Amino acid sequence: MSFIIKCLDCGDAAPYFPTSVNCPRCNSQWREARYDYESLADTFLLRLDGQPFDLWRYRDLLPVQNPDPTLSLGEGGTPLIRANKLGMMLGCPNIFIKDERQGPTNSFKDRQAAVTVAALKEAGVTEMVAASTGNVAIAYSAYAARAGIKLWAFVTSLVPAVKMREIALYGSQVVKVTGSYDQAKQIAAEFAHQRNLYLDMGARTITSIEAMKTIAFEIAEQLTLLSAPAFGSAPRRTPDWYIQSISGGMGPLGVAKGFAELQAMHIVERIPAIAAIQAEGCAPMVTAWKEGLEKAIPVTSPHTYIETLATGDPGRGYTLLRKWIDKTKGVFESVSDEEAYRAMHVLAKMEGISMEPAAAVAFAGLFKLVRAGVIKPDETVVVNCTGHTMPTEPFLLGDQWTRNVDLTERRAEETPQEGLLSALSHIAPDRFPRVAIVDDSPEARQLIRRILQAQGNYTIYEAAGGKEALQMIAREIPDLIILDLMMPEMDGFSVLDSLRASPATAAIPVIVATAKELTAAEKSRLTGQIQALMQKGDFLNDEFLAEVSTLLREG
Ligand SMILES: *Cc1c(COP(=O)(O)O)cnc(C)c1O
Ligand SMILES: [Zn+2]
């Protein structure tokens, strides 16, 4: 591993010392690591062979001389998971989730902490300071504990108490700052300066950007394995989009640099378009980019409950990230807290992936960009699920999320089974609304079933074809039918005609859910025959459910 530290302001090239953070020539703190990409080009991929799938398999491109294996907690190597239901709901089949929740401290900050702490340990550092909205401090605390480094963690008072306690549990000193995140950073910097301690400097920390690159390396490797059949024989290593929720933007800065390095080594042909998503109440980068500004105007009092993303003053981070976004034809976008909470529900209920609201911001951004046509149906998208450390807050569920079974008052003469059964009858009434799903695609039936069962209690019947559907409907007389149009043998139009011709089934409400672009003639064939038309790939579960519950209430 040979590399130099290049100053982004004066171009000076200096050797690397983790604790010297200024350019020796011009004093700038904005510098980055450069490696000898041409000579690495021949060996980089070969040397990965047989290495464990963790962050350190890329050590040829990391600024740590001899990473101490005893510090490792198994960082990196998180799975890339295909999101099938989400893909169907959005009409974009190639959506992948980089599941950073599965890192040792449950957010992608553990990459940054692992590499930075390894470098600091190598440099003999024993005490350090970091300002954090929670996850950075948790990640540094864990690695500092292993490395015998004392961490002073400056957090704002809005950081959830559970996160603060976790930081303290690791043995770090929590300093609670009543003020904004930007103010906490200033106080931390003054403290570090007075005591002459090493200070984490966010996106200016060379090891942090270098650590985040490994996300790009992993995606390139994983996409080659996962997507090859879908794209013919040619390995596809670069997704069309990389989407991440951002605060200071360190993640996408690192990921873009990672893909650029792969490109410099002729391993990939291009860098994905970067979509950086901010919370609406604290979106200085989005505002600046949309207005074409060179510099972001700081947001002094952020209005978002998503504290993790509350960098009000991105400083130079904006200028650097903007360069990548413009170069890759990416976007900055913002979403409301409510949109993020909704995305949280969709991902948990449809994909089995629960995340903290900050991570859900990226998914809400995905929904918005797909709907706006910015992301095209055939494009490959990787969304970084950046973290999961926060327990689900009560307001995210509303009331009635639990049904209670109380067995303490069970009468003595009852057998245990009787008591249990009568208790269970309180949980589930005898008759739930009955819904028939008619679709030839098993995946589509499963998606619709999942949307229904995740949000309420229904008795669900399924049929894979028209003839089977008519028999089932005549037998069960459901309260609602969800009908596909394009089916082999007997299509949805014919099913509708038969249903309406028979007095027993003529009045059952029907929602047509179809992937078909309807012609004017087809539309008029449906008019008056159905209660709602939903385009598959164009509905998210809340709209669909609103339609379902209205029809069941009216029926
Ligand atoms: C830190 C963090 C972010 C924002 O990361 P940046 O790339 O530094 O802007 C997003 N989500 C979670 C869960 C985080 O911990
Ligand atoms: Zn310089």
Side-chain angles (χ1 to χ4, degrees):
M1 169 205 48
S2 76
F3 67 101
I4 46 111
I5 303 301
K6 184 128 172 142
C7 176
L8 296 180
D9 286 310
C10 75
D12 180 72
Y16 177 56
F17 298 105
T19 50
S20 72
V21 296
N22 298 79
C23 167
R25 194 202 290 170
C26 77
N27 218 36
S28 168
Q29 291 183 334
W30 291 93
R31 304 186 303 153
E32 69 176 21
R34 299 272 175 87
Y35 303 76
D36 183 353
Y37 302 112
E38 279 305 331
S39 69
L40 279 167
D42 296 331
T43 57
F44 182 71
L45 283 182
L46 288 176
R47 282 173 48 98
L48 296 180
D49 235 17
Q51 296 286 329
F53 191 59
D54 66 17
L55 173 150
W56 297 107
R57 77 195 253 108
Y58 310 111
R59 68 167 66 93
D60 285 353
L61 284 168
L62 291 174
V64 183
Q65 302 290 342
N66 296 298
D68 177 352
T70 67
L71 297 184
S72 173
L73 286 164
E75 50 279 358
T78 58
L80 187 70
I81 298 167
R82 193 167 198 136
N84 286 320
K85 290 205 191 67
L86 199 59
M88 285 176 71
M89 286 163 72
L90 292 170
C92 288
N94 297 310
I95 294 175
F96 296 88
I97 298 172
K98 184 65 174 155
D99 192 4
E100 290 293 297
R101 301 172 314 159
Q102 298 197 40
T105 63
N106 309 109
S107 89
F108 78 149
K109 299 299 194 313
D110 37 44
R111 295 178 190 266
Q112 165 187 7
V115 178
T116 303
V117 168
L120 293 179
K121 181 87 200 291
E122 220 165 50
V125 170
T126 56
E127 211 168 331
M128 68 180 289
V129 179
S132 170
T133 54
N135 293 344
V136 170
I138 288 172
Y140 272 127
S141 293
Y143 286 92
R146 292 186 78 74
I149 292 175
K150 156 97 182 180
L151 174 72
W152 296 84
F154 287 70
V155 296
T156 70
S157 46
L158 290 176
V159 169
V162 282
K163 288 194 180 183
M164 286 195 203
R165 289 194 291 268
E166 188 179 350
I167 298 166
L169 180 66
Y170 285 120
S172 299
Q173 179 58 57
V174 177
V175 183
K176 202 197 287 189
V177 180
T178 305
S180 69
Y181 178 40
D182 295 320
Q183 288 169 321
K185 278 194 259 191
Q186 275 169 20
I187 302 284
E190 279 168 33
F191 178 83
H193 182 71
Q194 275 175 15
R195 299 212 165 197
N196 197 25
L197 297 178
Y198 176 84
L199 171 72
D200 176 72
M201 294 197 306
R204 284 166 296 173
T205 308
I206 283 165
T207 40
S208 298
I209 297 288
E210 296 303 291
M212 291 302 177
K213 285 186 331 195
T214 59
I215 297 173
F217 301 160
E218 288 178 16
I219 291 171
E221 287 200 80
Q222 290 171 311
L223 215 47
T224 311
L225 297 173
L226 283 174
S227 70
F231 295 100
S233 55
R236 165 78 68 112
R237 295 192 171 112
T238 307
D240 296 299
W241 289 90
Y242 170 79
I243 307 185
Q244 198 205 293
S245 50
I246 61 158
S247 183
M250 178 165 39
L253 283 171
V255 169
K257 184 173 191 272
F259 276 105
E261 290 185 346
L262 292 177
Q263 193 181 29
M265 294 184 294
H266 318 290
I267 293 168
V268 302
E269 282 170 3
R270 58 199 175 83
I271 305 166
I274 308 280
I277 319 294
Q278 292 198 290
E280 221 165 70
C282 185
M285 300 208 229
V286 181
T287 310
W289 185 72
K290 291 196 170 173
E291 290 175 11
L293 305 180
E294 296 279 326
K295 278 195 177 142
I297 299 161
V299 172
T300 45
S301 51
H303 286 285
T304 170
Y305 288 107
I306 306 176
E307 177 65 13
T308 304
L309 303 181
T311 298
D313 183 4
R316 180 100 169 246
Y318 165 67
T319 319
L320 294 174
L321 186 52
R322 179 177 182 237
K323 256 192 215 149
W324 283 118
I325 296 230
D326 289 341
K327 184 183 159 116
T328 61
K329 299 201 167 46
V331 290
F332 283 98
E333 189 53 271
S334 63
V335 298
S336 67
D337 289 6
E338 287 69 28
E339 287 172 308
Y341 299 150
R342 223 176 298 143
M344 242 177 115
H345 278 277
V346 171
L347 266 294
K349 292 183 167 70
M350 295 297 126
E351 298 291 350
I353 293 180
S354 101
M355 63 189 74
E356 65 170 283
V361 162
F363 290 90
L366 166 72
F367 299 169
K368 197 165 181 175
L369 294 173
V370 169
R371 286 185 159 172
V374 175
I375 293 175
K376 306 285 185 304
D378 60 338
E379 291 185 312
T380 301
V381 181
V382 172
V383 187
N384 187 335
C385 181
T386 46
H388 176 26
T389 47
M390 193 173 74
T392 305
E393 302 263 356
F395 75 91
L396 289 169
L397 292 177
D399 29 352
Q400 301 197 340
W401 55 272
T402 173
R403 304 274 165 101
N404 301 317
V405 178
D406 186 352
L407 294 178
T408 55
E409 288 175 10
R410 198 170 64 203
R411 273 171 291 127
E413 67 271 22
E414 277 177 341
T415 65
Q417 279 78 6
E418 275 170 340
L420 192 60
L421 287 179
S422 74
L424 288 175
S425 72
H426 297 297
I427 314 175
D430 294 339
R431 192 180 186 284
F432 291 128
R434 293 138 55 85
V435 180
I437 304 169
V438 183
D439 201 310
D440 60 319
S441 148
E443 294 81 20
R445 291 200 304 274
Q446 202 201 340
L447 171 68
I448 293 169
R449 170 183 279 278
R450 185 62 199 148
I451 292 175
L452 292 172
Q453 72 189 177
Q455 301 281 355
N457 293 307
Y458 301 93
T459 301
I460 298 169
Y461 305 94
E462 291 184 23
K467 289 214 178 77
E468 186 191 334
L470 288 174
Q471 284 170 5
M472 177 259 279
I473 291 166
R475 191 175 61 235
E476 305 292 349
I477 310 292
D479 302 307
L480 175 68
I481 298 165
I482 297 163
L483 179 66
D484 182 24
L485 288 180
M486 300 290 286
M487 293 182 290
E489 293 176 23
M490 186 179 196
D491 69 8
F493 293 104
S494 323
V495 172
L496 260 181
D497 291 342
S498 303
L499 285 176
R500 295 313 181 215
S502 153
T505 56
I508 303 176
V510 173
I511 296 178
V512 163
T514 180
K516 185 176 161 53
E517 281 295 328
L518 296 182
T519 63
E522 286 168 332
K523 273 195 187 139
S524 76
R525 240 185 116 181
L526 293 176
T527 313
Q529 299 276 35
I530 64 167
Q531 279 58 48
L533 175 66
M534 313 238 48
Q535 289 295 127
K536 269 184 218 160
D538 196 25
F539 64 82
L540 278 174
N541 62 351
D542 31 353
E543 291 158 43
F544 179 70
L545 277 159
E547 205 66 64
V548 167
S549 47
T550 315
L551 289 172
L552 287 173
R553 226 178 302 123
E554 287 168 355

